[in-house]
């Protein structure tokens, strides 16, 4: 996996680079947003993104990347209060990790995203249709009322999990395990709620409401 690490703290960046290279990841380091834009290309498979940078903030960079790419983005930030975490996820981040960074946890989260990407790529090539929603797994494309909508990797996987279990209530813990391949100690319910909200905003219309919240139990996809 080719990783773009956007981090202006040189000692931290070197430590993360060393740990990732020991796991056979290829790492490119950008010290600011300008360098990050210059270094980002189609070969980058994941971005590790600091929030506070010398020439701006990681949130703006994430928004700009999301205009053209669904590459997985993991925020690394000392701003780990709930509003900042929710905002980071809401603008298109796939995950977040609080500073000081624990490299073992970071590597686990990266590996989880890699597994999720492989699952997405390995899905049956036939179209999946449910009401006004159409998914083309081979192309990882989603259409609502024949118009393409753009989902992040987590949102896309969440949609597939719901579609694969149409008419069945899925618990929050089960969804978390399927999305991140880790137990719910690493990802709280609030994070899942953010992704559900984002997915609803992208695929539901006034006439077509597919995702039902089953209070106290979980979620269910309805035709």
């Amino acid at each position: 996996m080719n990783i773009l690490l956007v981090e202006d703290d040189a000692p931290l960046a070197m430590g993360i680079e060393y740990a990732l290279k020991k796991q056979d990841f290829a790492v490119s380091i950008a010290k600011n947003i300008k360098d990050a834009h210059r270094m980002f290309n189609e070969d980058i498979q994941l971005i590790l993104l600091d929030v506070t940078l010398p020439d701006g903030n990681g949130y703006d960079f994430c928004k700009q990347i999301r205009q053209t790419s669904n590459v997985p983005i993991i925020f690394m930030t000392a701003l780990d209060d709930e509003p900042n975490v929710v905002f980071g996820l809401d603008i298109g981040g796939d995950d977040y990790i609080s500073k000081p960074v624990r490299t073992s946890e970071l590597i686990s989260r990266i590996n989880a995203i890699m597994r999720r990407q492989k699952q997405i790529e390995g899905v049956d090539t036939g179209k999946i249709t449910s009401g006004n929603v159409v998914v083309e797994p081979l192309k990882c494309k989603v259409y609502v009322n024949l118009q393409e909508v753009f989902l992040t990797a987590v949102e896309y996987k969440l949609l597939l999990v719901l579609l694969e279990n149409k008419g069945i209530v899925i618990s929050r813990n089960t969804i978390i395990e399927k999305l991140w391949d880790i137990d719910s100690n690493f990802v709280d319910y609030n994070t899942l709620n953010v992704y559900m909200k984002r997915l609803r905003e992208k695929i539901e219309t006034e006439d077509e409401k597919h995702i039902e919240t089953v209070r106290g139990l979980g979620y269910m996809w309805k035709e």
Side-chain angles (χ1 to χ4, degrees), residues 81-134:
D81 56 288
E82 183 176 318
N84 277 289
V85 170
V86 170
F87 181 74
L89 296 175
D90 208 30
I91 62 173
D94 292 276
D95 202 352
Y96 67 90
I97 187 167
S98 300
K99 291 182 177 179
V101 176
R102 294 174 293 185
T103 55
S104 58
E105 180 184 348
L106 177 61
I107 291 168
S108 293
R109 289 176 181 269
I110 292 172
N111 286 333
I113 285 180
M114 290 177 65
R115 289 193 295 270
R116 186 167 65 243
Q117 291 294 95
K118 289 179 180 178
Q119 288 173 348
I120 290 173
E121 293 167 359
V123 172
D124 185 7
T125 59
K127 287 184 180 180
I128 303 170
T129 302
S130 181
N132 63 333
V133 177
V134 177

Side-chain angles (χ1 to χ4, degrees), residues 109 173 176-178 180-188:
R109 289 176 181 269
N173 283 344
I176 286 172
E177 291 170 1
K178 287 180 177 292
W180 286 279
D181 293 330
I182 53 180
D183 63 45
S184 56
N185 291 327
F186 284 105
V187 183
D188 60 24

Side-chain angles (χ1 to χ4, degrees), residues 11 22 38 58 92 96 122 194:
K22 286 184 64 177
R38 177 177 55 81
Y96 67 90
V194 171

Side-chain angles (χ1 to χ4, degrees), residues 55 65 83 118 138 153 171 189 199 201:
D55 55 347
I65 291 296
K118 289 179 180 178
L138 181 62
S171 72
Y189 289 163
L199 183 60
E201 290 172 348

Side-chain angles (χ1 to χ4, degrees), residues 206-222:
E206 288 296 324
D207 300 323
E208 298 268 5
K209 305 291 186 182
H210 294 288
I211 303 173
E212 179 181 347
T213 300
V214 183
R215 190 174 298 278
L217 295 176
Y219 299 92
M220 180 174 67
W221 180 274
K222 302 186 300 180

